[in-house]
Amino acid sequence: MRQRKTVPTERNIRTNFAFYPPQGDGGAWRATAESLERALREAFPEPAVEYRISGIHSVPVLDFEIELAPGVWIDGTASMPEPDYAYITLTDVTAGEAAVFARWLRDSFVPAPHLVWFASSLAVANGEQDPWPLPAEGGDEEIAAELRRHLDSVETP
């Protein structure tokens, strides 16, 4: 197991973040697990990738571990089994860590910046079922602020 550091943020709430194409347009990314693997290999140094069949949905998934910054590693899972469905989930990350990945996803992988939506396991656990749109512009700080705003909107007192 690699030693993990975190990307500094105002608050280090850890949760899972999931990224999706817009509702009603699940094939908008025009991606496959193989194209995601290639993109991860090009963008991040020495990613660890592994294919398996999901025990929940019985569909192929790509598990990955990438280094976002020196010493900052995150784990994710992606499934793109049909041309009309896709998701990428990051496990146990802060908003700052998720923002770095989300900016890369938006700017380097999907075909247009308005095609990335997100949700968090914290939101789902608190009854929020609708994904939020990722900002179509801005850098890591702007995206992290939106992810934190999302978490703040569902946090229980």
Side-chain angles (χ1 to χ4, degrees):
M1 188 73 147
R2 295 181 176 145
Q3 181 180 2
R4 301 212 179 225
K5 297 179 184 175
T6 62
V7 172
T9 62
E10 295 172 11
R11 303 169 64 220
N12 280 325
I13 295 171
R14 291 193 162 279
T15 189
N16 299 342
F17 279 98
F19 300 96
Y20 310 90
Q23 291 179 326
D25 193 7
W29 292 357
R30 294 182 228 123
T32 64
E34 292 80 12
S35 65
L36 177 62
E37 178 189 356
R38 283 190 301 276
L40 291 171
R41 288 187 184 285
E42 290 173 9
F44 300 97
E46 301 182 35
V49 296
E50 180 179 294
Y51 289 89
R52 65 178 171 85
I53 300 297
S54 166
I56 298 172
H57 301 292
S58 298
V59 296
V61 296
L62 172 68
D63 291 326
F64 60 88
E65 180 183 50
I66 56 173
E67 187 175 26
L68 288 180
V72 179
W73 293 86
I74 63 168
D75 296 318
T77 298
S79 184
M80 300 172 193
E82 303 170 10
D84 62 345
Y85 178 73
Y87 77 84
I88 299 171
T89 300
L90 304 180
T91 307
D92 193 33
V93 293
T94 65
E97 292 163 347
V100 174
F101 180 84
R103 182 190 39 78
W104 170 81
L105 180 68
R106 181 196 69 193
D107 296 349
S108 301
F109 185 68
V110 300
H114 67 282
L115 297 178
V116 180
W117 289 62
F118 71 93
S120 69
S121 59
L122 181 62
V124 171
N126 283 293
E128 176 63 47
Q129 298 297 318
D130 296 325
W132 288 33
L134 193 72
E137 297 178 340
D140 296 346
E141 286 305 313
E142 291 82 5
I143 294 171
E146 184 67 1
L147 297 177
R148 279 192 218 83
R149 192 171 77 79
H150 165 80
L151 294 175
D152 289 345
S153 77
V154 296
E155 225 181 319
T156 55

